[in-house]
Amino acid sequence: MQSFQLIKPCFALAPYIRHYWILQDDSIAPVSERTLPIGCMQLVFHKGKQLLLSGESELQPQSFISGQSVGFSDVMSTGRIEMITVVFQPYAVKALFHIPSHLFRGQNVDTGAMEDAELSDLVKQVTDTSRNAVCIRLIEQFFLRRLYTLPEYNLKRMSAVFHEINLRPQINISHLSETACLSSKQFGRIFTDYVGTTPKEFIRIIRMQRALFMLQQDATVPFVQVAYECGFSDQSHMIKEFKLFSGYTPAEYLSVCAPYSDYFSEL
């Protein structure tokens, strides 16, 4: 039996955490899934069996922070699944952990390697606690304690930048740097520090997520219309990006997956 819960954070944490999700699956037979970049870093707790990274033939860590990536990956279950995942706002990891987000890029970083005693204590508490509702409360208490040390000025800049990114399918980096009241060089450095990828790479991820969201609403929309409305230069550009991010062309993707945008569905 499989169950999935999506839980919103408390009001004070909403600017930093988009949501938590809990997945439980008692199936013995291996289940595989392809994951796409969603534009948000995540903190994952495996309370059941860890997932196998199919391309690398290694298990995910028991608990880890998943960094930004440009490209897909395949994972496979190795037994009973019980996962709790914290999905951060795109700019929040740097503020909450005081580590530049680009250091996590393309990696699943074991929490044990982060030299964060409070985080290690949280991992132990979550692992030892059977009730997931209590685990979520422990996670929230951990992050609420961290709110007192956040540098507000850059967070406000990043919040304004993401408002523009979410609103406008067609956007350029110079407009974003003006929104942040920074030079293009300063903006690129601070954005990468907070988000974990360059502005250009992030805009590509969100363009793909926007296309998935549009197809999620209506999978019969012509691809040329999706390309135009989501900010691709043309249909061939969209096909190329789909192939990079998902391993499929748009037509192939629709034949094997129900389109779903993790980014825009939860805004």
Side-chain angles (χ1 to χ4, degrees), residues 2 4 21 23 25 30-36 51-54 60 72-77 81 83 248 253 257 260 262:
Q2 184 183 99
F4 180 83
W21 56 258
L23 174 65
D25 192 334
V31 177
S32 62
E33 182 164 339
R34 177 157 295 184
T35 63
L36 279 57
L51 298 180
L52 179 70
L53 296 164
S54 301
Q60 290 180 340
F72 62 90
S73 61
D74 292 313
V75 294
M76 181 177 291
S77 63
I81 296 172
M83 297 172 65
Y248 301 112
Y253 185 86
C257 301
Y260 182 82
D262 289 283

Side-chain angles (χ1 to χ4, degrees), residues 74-87:
D74 292 313
V75 294
M76 181 177 291
S77 63
T78 60
R80 179 180 173 274
I81 296 172
E82 185 174 3
M83 297 172 65
I84 299 178
T85 297
V86 183
V87 181

Side-chain angles (χ1 to χ4, degrees), residues 44 90 105 152 173 203 240:
V44 178
R105 190 182 189 279
E152 284 295 323
I173 294 167
I203 288 170
K240 182 180 178 182

Side-chain angles (χ1 to χ4, degrees), residues 143-204:
F143 285 115
L144 284 168
R145 288 194 296 271
R146 301 220 159 183
L147 293 188
Y148 299 106
T149 61
L150 302 187
E152 284 295 323
Y153 58 99
N154 278 333
L155 281 174
K156 288 178 180 177
R157 285 184 172 131
M158 288 296 103
S159 181
V161 164
F162 278 89
H163 176 76
E164 292 296 298
I165 290 173
N166 296 342
L167 196 64
R168 300 168 180 259
Q170 298 276 2
I171 200 159
N172 57 57
I173 294 167
S174 62
H175 174 75
L176 294 178
S177 61
E178 288 171 10
T179 299
C181 300
L182 295 167
S183 69
S184 58
K185 187 174 181 180
Q186 285 177 311
F187 173 68
R189 178 178 56 78
I190 290 173
F191 188 98
T192 302
D193 218 27
Y194 272 79
V195 180
T197 188
T198 67
K200 182 177 180 180
E201 286 176 331
F202 188 82
I203 288 170
R204 291 173 63 203

